């Protein structure tokens, strides 16, 4: 009896430990150095600026319907870099404009920045005094206080008090699943040979396993937010998506090809690659729509996709960069996101080689296969009971 009790407890704490380990592995490169996410998040910044009109539209409608004395805002998957505060500025500016237009007194703000516990929150916290000072200078004394707090935890569970949030934002975070599908690798037909995510050469069973994991996670996300967002509250979520889930054109597929080359050259063991699956899934518009309708708490206001070449954000920022220079920016951008999780499995020592190979071939690959980032913007309103 005692033995049974201990085993059950041990199993439970083991499960907890696994969860903690998983949540500590997924994070972007911290700090503000050359390889940090903070210095290499131009792609994500470009996407945020492209989504701005939809964010503004959502906020105008929110303020038209309800404008509390203190607006509670959450950015989910904020990471550690200038984008987190860029989003906060955009949201505050939009609320200011909307409340002035409707002759309402400016509300005060409570902003929650959420990410997984391993995120480098310190880098964000260090930039807060400068951010608040700038806000005060720009907005003057009429501006009500803005309180900013960090919330470590997974957005695939509860993070906030019931009925407490008015506006939820998330950009480029929801394609990260809570975990890679557990079944992968356990049966021969589920072996995602030579790939690290759903790719053109993945068997249909692998696609199905990822698709089911996405459905479980996204429903849990919606269910948790349904408890936390007030009726009439809004969410604007941007995620990487696919036109076809079994052919997602993802840049991680290309990282997988480079890892495969290294296996063929004997630099990585084949088993090491075969046993690795990224907790990443880029859903289609239809899959997202179905999950929202099935969960039922939110009304879909907009669901829009926009595609952009893998290097579009670099050409937009600096049209004079040649192919080599663009490839270098793409390589550091993907490294800032993927290095912690890839080096945890394959070892830090192969990272320079991997990302050199990535840099050498990425533009040719993109041009040959017409590779694009496909972005999906989801604008939602919490239904009234
Ligand atoms: N929104 C930022 C960061 C995008 S990077 C921007 O646009 O620049 C994606 C972030 O999502 C990472 O920091 C990652 O740690 C976070 N993330 C992934 N899964 C998460 C989860 N389950 N809960 C909270 N944050 C998560």
């Amino acid at each position: 009896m005692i033995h049974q009790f201990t085993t059950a407890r041990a199993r439970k704490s083991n499960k907890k430990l696994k969860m903690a380990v998983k949540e500590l592995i997924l994070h972007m490169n911290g700090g503000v150095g050359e390889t940090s996410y903070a210095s290499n998040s131009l792609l994500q910044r470009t996407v945020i600026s492209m989504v701005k009109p939809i964010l503004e539209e959502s906020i105008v409608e929110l303020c038209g319907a309800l404008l509390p004395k203190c607006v509670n805002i959450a950015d989910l998957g904020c990471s550690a870099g200038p984008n987190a505060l860029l989003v906060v500025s955009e949201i505050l500016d939009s609320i200011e404009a909307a409340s002035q237009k409707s002759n309402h007194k400016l509300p005060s703000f409570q902003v929650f920045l959420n990410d997984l516990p391993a995120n480098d929150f310190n880098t964000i916290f260090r930039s807060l005094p400068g951010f608040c000072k700038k806000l005060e200078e720009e907005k003057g004394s009429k501006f009500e206080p803005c309180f900013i707090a960090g919330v470590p935890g997974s957005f695939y569970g509860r993070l906030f008090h019931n009925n407490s949030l008015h506006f939820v934002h998330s950009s480029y975070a929801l394609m990260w699943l809570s975990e890679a599908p557990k079944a992968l690798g356990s049966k021969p037909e589920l072996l995602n040979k030579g790939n690290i995510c759903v790719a053109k050469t993945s068997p249909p069973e692998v696609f199905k396993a990822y698709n089911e994991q996405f459905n479980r996670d996204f429903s849990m996300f919606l269910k948790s937010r349904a408890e936390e967002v007030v009726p009439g509250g809004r969410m604007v979520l941007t995620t990487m998506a696919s036109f076809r889930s079994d052919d997602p054109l993802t840049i991680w597929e290309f990282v997988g090809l480079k890892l495969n080359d290294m296996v063929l050259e004997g630099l990585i063991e084949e088993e090491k690659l075969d046993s690795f699956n990224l907790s990443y899934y880029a859903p289609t518009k239809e899959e997202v729509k179905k999950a929202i309708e099935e969960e039922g708490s939110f009304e879909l206001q907009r669901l829009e996709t926009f595609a952009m070449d893998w290097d579009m954000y670099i050409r937009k920022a600096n049209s004079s960069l040649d192919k080599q220079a663009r490839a270098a920016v793409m390589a550091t951008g993907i490294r800032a996101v993927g290095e912690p999780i890839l080096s945890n499995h394959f070892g830090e020592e192969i990272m320079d080689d991997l990302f050199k190979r990535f840099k050498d071939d990425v533009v040719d690959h993109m041009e040959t296969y017409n590779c694009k980032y496909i972005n999906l913007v989801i604008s939602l309103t919490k239904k009234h009971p």
Side-chain angles (χ1 to χ4, degrees):
M1 195 63 194
I2 290 178
H3 174 70
Q4 258 181 4
F5 173 72
T6 339
T7 327
R9 220 166 59 169
R11 229 182 288 129
K12 204 169 159 196
S13 83
N14 217 350
K15 201 171 153 199
K16 263 194 187 158
L17 190 71
K18 268 198 194 142
M19 169 77 93
V21 169
K22 204 169 58 206
E23 292 188 351
L24 289 175
I25 293 171
L26 181 65
H27 60 94
M28 311 292 107
N29 270 345
V32 289
E34 227 176 279
T35 59
S36 65
Y37 180 79
S39 309
N40 294 287
S41 42
L42 180 63
L43 163 65
Q44 294 81 351
R45 184 158 82 233
T46 308
V47 170
I48 289 169
S49 69
M50 290 170 89
V51 174
K52 197 172 170 193
I54 297 183
L55 179 112
E56 284 171 346
E57 174 191 84
S58 169
I59 286 181
V60 167
E61 288 171 7
L62 169 75
C63 295
L66 52 112
L67 195 56
K69 278 197 181 122
C70 177
V71 185
N72 293 334
I73 299 159
D75 184 32
L76 307 181
C78 64
S79 197
N83 293 352
L85 296 178
L86 170 72
V87 166
V88 177
S89 291
E90 279 187 0
I91 296 173
L92 300 194
D93 285 350
S94 304
I95 296 179
E96 184 187 13
S99 56
Q100 272 171 356
K101 216 168 155 195
S102 57
N103 275 331
H104 276 97
K105 188 176 168 329
L106 256 183
S108 60
F109 303 98
Q110 171 80 64
V111 180
F112 299 103
L113 298 175
N114 153 260
D115 208 288
L116 290 170
N119 183 52
D120 181 8
F121 280 101
N122 279 339
T123 292
I124 308 189
F125 292 164
R126 280 194 204 102
S127 60
L128 286 183
F131 175 76
C132 292
K133 190 160 171 259
K134 197 163 151 260
L135 261 189
E136 252 176 61
E137 282 165 10
E138 278 173 15
K139 312 279 183 195
S141 57
K142 67 179 171 24
F143 211 61
E144 291 294 324
C146 171
F147 306 102
I148 304 184
V151 178
S154 171
F155 51 53
Y156 294 124
R158 289 291 303 272
L159 294 165
F160 305 98
H161 193 58
N162 281 1
N163 271 318
S164 62
L165 297 177
H166 303 103
F167 188 75
V168 173
H169 175 269
S170 178
S171 189
Y172 261 40
L174 273 164
M175 62 274 191
W176 294 106
L177 302 172
S178 66
E179 59 182 344
K182 276 201 195 71
L184 289 187
S186 59
K187 296 183 197 142
E189 70 273 20
L190 281 172
L191 205 55
N192 198 11
K193 252 194 134 17
N195 296 312
I196 60 169
C197 55
V198 181
K200 282 180 207 56
T201 54
S202 300
E205 289 80 4
V206 168
F207 157 66
K208 189 166 169 273
Y210 266 103
N211 179 265
E212 285 170 1
Q213 183 66 44
F214 167 76
N215 276 330
R216 272 193 298 276
D217 283 344
F218 191 53
S219 315
M220 186 51 87
F221 176 90
L222 291 170
K223 220 170 131 203
S224 307
R225 299 301 81 73
E227 303 281 333
E228 297 164 352
V229 176
V230 301
R234 308 289 291 227
M235 300 210 283
V236 174
L237 316 169
T238 307
T239 182
M240 280 181 153
S242 302
F243 288 138
R244 282 182 42 201
S245 273
D246 52 354
D247 184 11
L249 293 178
T250 151
I251 200 146
W252 299 106
E253 174 172 3
F254 180 67
V255 174
L257 291 176
K258 296 295 109 189
L259 286 164
N260 211 30
D261 290 348
M262 293 174 80
V263 169
L264 296 175
E265 288 173 37
L267 298 168
I268 298 175
E269 284 166 37
E270 190 173 1
E271 194 275 330
K272 208 147 187 97
L273 178 55
D274 289 347
S275 63
F276 180 73
N277 290 292
L278 211 53
S279 52
Y280 175 92
Y281 183 79
T284 63
K285 212 172 170 171
E286 292 70 31
E287 288 162 4
V288 165
K289 186 163 186 273
K290 190 162 167 269
I292 293 167
E293 286 170 356
E294 276 176 13
E295 196 283 325
S297 307
F298 291 91
E299 196 175 317
L300 193 53
Q301 306 293 341
R302 268 179 192 274
L303 188 63
E304 289 183 14
T305 40
F306 61 97
M308 52 200 227
D309 291 343
W310 278 357
D311 65 349
M312 178 280 243
Y313 68 100
I314 307 167
R315 285 187 280 113
K316 200 170 167 209
N318 184 346
S319 56
S320 65
L321 291 185
D322 65 11
K323 198 166 153 173
Q324 272 302 312
R326 277 181 282 135
V329 178
M330 286 159 86
T332 45
I334 288 298
R335 185 169 182 162
V337 173
E339 183 163 16
I341 194 159
L342 291 169
S343 66
N344 178 67
H345 184 82
F346 294 101
E348 186 56 50
E349 58 289 353
I350 69 146
M351 291 296 120
D352 285 346
D353 191 0
L354 173 64
F355 287 103
K356 180 177 180 309
R357 286 163 190 261
F358 179 102
K359 178 174 77 102
D360 291 347
D361 293 344
V362 68
V363 177
D364 284 342
H365 181 88
M366 177 194 84
E367 286 170 354
T368 309
Y369 295 97
N370 191 22
C371 297
K372 293 186 189 303
Y373 287 123
I374 297 144
N375 303 304
L376 179 62
V377 192
I378 311 158
S379 177
L380 300 160
T381 306
K382 168 82 188 295
K383 290 180 186 167
H384 287 266

